[in-house]
Amino acid sequence: MASSLGVSSSTGLFLVATLALLTLSSASYFQVGAKDGWTSSKNVNYTRWADGVHLQVGDVLRFVYDNKKENVLRLSHRHYRTCNLTDPANIWTSGNDSVRLQRAGHFFFISSPDGQCQGKARVNVEVYRNDEAGGHALSLDPTPAGSI
């Protein structure tokens, strides 16, 4: 059956599916902390790690950690600065969490399974719009992701 635009339903569905695949394939996946993962027990410099990646809208952060010792909280900038853990925007606890970055801006993460802030894994990442300079290589990875 043809639509009023002269495009069949199957052609329209194909175009939508193709666009969805192109959007997904433009995302890159970044393991936070690289080979060390997300941990408070090692001396990992997450600021240096974050400075070495160029994150864009649609990219995915992967937090890989021992969920008996760590978790991941996303905090507001104010709560991150003051170590206020009482009202996190998100909490992840699986030990292998993927978070799709849906908008440009800064995002603040910390590990605090015991409710303490000092000496814990923490990172501030900046996400750029897709049209800003400094893009990265494409990475195809089918891992599903939560979104922020």
Side-chain angles (χ1 to χ4, degrees):
M1 168 185 250
S3 72
S4 60
L5 297 175
V7 177
S8 73
S9 306
S10 60
T11 302
L13 183 60
F14 174 77
L15 290 173
V16 169
T18 301
L19 287 173
L21 284 174
L22 287 173
T23 300
L24 287 175
S25 67
S26 67
S28 288
Y29 293 74
F30 296 88
Q31 182 169 311
V32 177
K35 65 178 175 44
D36 293 317
W38 185 244
T39 179
S40 298
S41 62
K42 294 181 183 178
N43 191 19
V44 180
N45 186 330
Y46 291 103
T47 301
R48 183 178 298 148
W49 174 84
D51 288 346
V53 297
H54 182 86
L55 301 168
Q56 297 182 112
V57 172
D59 285 346
V60 175
L61 293 178
R62 298 178 93 175
F63 291 88
V64 178
Y65 56 95
D66 179 348
N67 69 348
K68 292 176 181 62
K69 298 178 182 178
E70 309 287 346
N71 63 5
V72 181
L73 283 69
R74 183 172 70 94
L75 303 175
S76 69
H77 183 227
R78 182 172 55 96
H79 286 162
Y80 182 82
R81 268 192 353 260
T82 61
C83 276
N84 181 342
L85 307 174
T86 60
D87 191 23
N90 300 92
I91 301 173
W92 294 274
T93 59
S94 78
N96 188 7
D97 301 304
S98 296
V99 179
R100 185 170 304 279
L101 302 166
Q102 297 286 57
R103 62 180 171 80
H106 283 267
F107 295 92
F108 306 90
F109 300 94
I110 190 166
S111 177
S112 185
D114 60 1
Q116 300 298 311
C117 183
Q118 300 303 321
K120 303 297 181 183
R122 53 188 293 143
V123 68
N124 162 12
V125 298
E126 185 171 7
V127 179
Y128 296 91
R129 293 188 317 257
N130 291 338
D131 59 345
E132 293 184 34
H136 46 68
L138 297 182
S139 169
L140 300 178
D141 188 330
T143 304
S147 298
I148 57 170

